[in-house]
């Protein structure tokens, strides 16, 4: 026998990293069950700490507590989809963080421009995140949540290198935890990132680096010298975890509830946080046949927010096994934006255009039977009017 307790009501005896429990997480997703219960003494998880961390990273609401070794519980019973189910409320909020959470799941919109007799393409509209109007609200919020649990952000400066969207979300949210953000923008960042991050109360450093990653050594040095907390979106595993337990799981939930025959997901890569998490999640629940496609800028081209995989991406390199990386030119991405604008009536950003262009190249002539694909659209085209 076992009982179910809220995962937030207990504490683990020790902290385990993502890498300690990655295989277990994969096994849990594949079998859709936890293999064993945990033991709790005085609200502390004393046995099965791995199960605790695997379920916590995956975003289950409940933990199976019991003494039998042979106790296997389905994810359904553990409130696995609680966090990503739409809320029915009055849509009145006291805090931007509540509004952010209530924005999920972000919508899936069928794109007629990319659908045909055998393929339906669905755009996941990440600008429905309310702060940076981009997918990066998820990363910034979750990184700050986890930092705050262990480091307390109140009174501190949280620093990071960013191409813009993450910096905007970090600047706004750091203040909600009683801290401030200092963001490091590369030369390529546009006016929007600079202005909005400042308006949101962030301090902006903008003297170096062609690419965002070039600024990381400076952030590390300044953090050491001045005692900043380095959010470290490029290496902090909470970035990957945020997209695993929210973005990837949301798509699973939405596809299941709408009875889509989901065959693949296309996106683009910057830190690789969201696409590596999506690949890990769907490889585990749907198997190796599931297609995951990541757009990277063609050699010599620049597409805002994304970069080539050989410039180094921790999760894509160390976790993803089944991801097709496809080169897309800036022109192809801009063509995709125009096609969607004219035929579907929405204005997507360039990395979303790149995801669609990569999907089109990969899928080619199409399938024999009706299949569904999701394209992740990280932000809105309204930010890039000068490019269009
Ligand atoms: N698209 C845009 C517009 C972005 O701002 C970013 C990241 O900053 C990405 C795509 C890439 O997302 P990720 O860092 O999860 O790979």
């Amino acid at each position: 026998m076992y009982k179910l307790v809220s995962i937030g009501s207990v504490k683990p005896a020790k902290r385990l990293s993502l890498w300690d429990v990655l295989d277990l997480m994969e096994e849990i997703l594949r079998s859709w069950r936890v293999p064993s219960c945990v033991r709790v003494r005085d609200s502390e998880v004393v046995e099965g700490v791995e199960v605790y961390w695997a379920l916590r990273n995956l975003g289950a609401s409940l933990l199976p507590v019991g003494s039998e070794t042979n106790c296997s519980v389905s994810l359904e019973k553990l409130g696995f989809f609680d966090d990503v189910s739409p809320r029915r409320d009055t849509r009145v909020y006291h805090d931007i963080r509540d509004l952010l959470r209530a924005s999920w799941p972000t919508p899936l919109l069928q794109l007629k421009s990319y659908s045909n007799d055998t393929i339906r393409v669905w755009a996941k509209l990440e600008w429905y995140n309310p702060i940076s109007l981009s997918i990066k609200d998820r990363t910034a919020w979750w990184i700050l949540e986890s930092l705050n649990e262990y480091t307390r952000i109140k009174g501190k400066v949280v620093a990071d290198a960013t191409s813009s969207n993450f910096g905007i979300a970090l600047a706004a949210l750091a203040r909600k935890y009683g801290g401030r953000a200092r963001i490091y923008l590369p030369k390529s960042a546009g006016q929007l990132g600079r202005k909005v991050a400042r308006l949101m109360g962030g301090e902006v450093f903008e003297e170096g680096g062609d690419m965002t990653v070039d600024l990381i050594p400076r952030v590390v040095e300044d953090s050491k010298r001045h005692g900043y907390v380095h959010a470290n979106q490029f290496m902090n595993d909470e970035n990957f975890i945020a997209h695993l337990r929210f973005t990837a799981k949301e798509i699973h939930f939405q596809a299941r509830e709408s009875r889509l025959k989901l065959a693949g997901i296309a996106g683009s890569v910057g830190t690789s946080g969201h696409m590596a998490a999506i690949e890990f999640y769907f490889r585990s629940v749907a198997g190796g046949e599931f297609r995951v496609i990541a757009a990277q800028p063609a050699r010599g081209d620049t597409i805002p927010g994304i970069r080539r995989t050989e410039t180094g991406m921790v999760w894509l390199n160390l976790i993803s096994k089944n991801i097709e990386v496809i080169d897309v030119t800036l022109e192809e991405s801009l063509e995709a934006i125009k096609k969607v604008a004219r035929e579907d009536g929405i204005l997507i950003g360039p990395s979303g255009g790149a995801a669609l262009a990569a999907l089109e190249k990969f899928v080619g002539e199409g399938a024999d039977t009706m299949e569904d694909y999701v394209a992740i659209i990280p932000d809105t085209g309204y930010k890039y009017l000068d490019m269009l």
Side-chain angles (χ1 to χ4, degrees), residues 14-285:
K14 59 179 171 178
R15 191 174 180 187
L16 298 181
S17 79
L18 170 70
W19 307 94
D20 294 326
V21 293
L22 198 64
D23 290 345
L24 179 58
M25 285 161 58
E26 189 166 355
E27 185 193 327
I28 290 173
L29 285 173
R30 194 179 334 105
S31 62
W32 207 243
R33 320 184 69 74
V34 274
S36 55
C37 286
V38 305
R39 282 224 220 186
V40 172
R41 201 181 305 131
D42 299 332
S43 301
E44 188 176 80
V45 179
V46 287
E47 259 176 55
V49 180
E50 294 79 8
V51 171
Y52 167 91
W53 279 105
L55 286 178
R56 184 173 148 154
N57 290 344
L58 291 169
S61 309
L62 301 168
L63 197 62
V65 176
S67 52
E68 286 167 43
T69 43
N70 188 12
C71 112
S72 140
V73 186
S74 133
L75 287 186
E76 232 73 59
K77 288 196 176 154
L78 299 177
F80 188 66
F81 286 117
D82 288 357
D83 256 2
V84 298
S85 308
R87 293 161 195 222
R88 291 211 172 76
D89 60 20
T90 53
R91 298 191 65 75
V92 176
Y93 308 107
H94 292 287
D95 188 304
I96 186 74
R97 287 167 292 189
D98 298 330
L99 173 58
L100 174 63
R101 296 292 307 274
S103 312
W104 303 342
T106 52
L108 285 184
L109 173 71
Q110 189 186 345
L111 296 183
K112 296 292 186 311
S113 52
Y114 279 85
S115 302
N116 57 36
D117 291 345
T118 54
I119 285 172
R120 283 188 303 191
V121 175
W122 304 84
K124 186 149 177 76
L125 304 179
E126 285 296 308
W127 71 75
Y128 275 70
N129 286 297
I131 304 166
S132 64
L133 312 188
S134 87
I135 194 164
K136 291 306 226 184
D137 283 11
R138 299 176 185 268
T139 323
W141 169 69
W142 189 250
I143 286 181
L144 286 169
E145 274 286 302
S146 75
L147 283 177
N148 198 45
E149 188 177 342
Y150 295 98
T151 329
R152 286 264 153 237
I153 291 166
K154 197 164 193 272
K156 300 204 176 116
V157 173
V158 185
D160 214 351
T162 153
S163 62
S164 283
N165 283 329
F166 179 75
I168 292 170
L170 196 73
L173 286 168
R175 297 183 80 89
K176 290 283 148 198
Y177 294 86
R180 278 183 302 125
R182 179 168 162 87
I183 67 166
Y184 293 69
L185 292 175
K187 285 186 207 137
S188 54
Q191 278 296 317
L192 184 127
R194 284 189 191 103
K195 286 196 179 167
V196 182
R198 282 201 180 103
L199 283 169
M200 297 290 201
E203 211 183 307
V204 177
F205 173 87
E206 45 171 334
E207 273 160 48
D210 289 327
M211 286 210 314
T212 310
V213 283
D214 297 339
L215 293 161
I216 298 173
R218 178 70 198 254
V219 182
V220 172
E221 194 189 312
D222 286 2
S223 299
K224 263 198 211 130
R225 185 176 305 156
H226 304 293
Y228 303 155
V229 179
H230 183 191
N232 204 2
Q233 60 156 333
F234 290 91
M235 302 277 280
N236 187 334
D237 293 327
E238 301 300 336
N239 178 349
F240 176 90
I241 291 171
H243 293 296
L244 185 69
R245 58 178 289 166
F246 298 110
T247 322
K249 202 200 288 184
E250 266 178 44
I251 298 171
H252 186 196
F253 172 79
Q254 290 173 302
R256 219 171 74 138
E257 295 297 303
S258 310
R259 298 184 198 286
L260 306 188
K261 269 182 68 191
L262 202 57
I265 299 177
S268 57
V269 280
T271 64
S272 82
H274 75 273
M275 288 313 291
I278 284 171
E279 191 275 338
F280 176 82
Y281 186 101
F282 284 93
R283 165 181 99 215
S284 308
V285 297

Side-chain angles (χ1 to χ4, degrees), residues 1-12:
M1 278 302 285
Y2 63 87
K3 62 178 182 175
L4 298 174
V5 305
S6 158
I7 201 159
S9 68
V10 295
K11 289 266 172 271

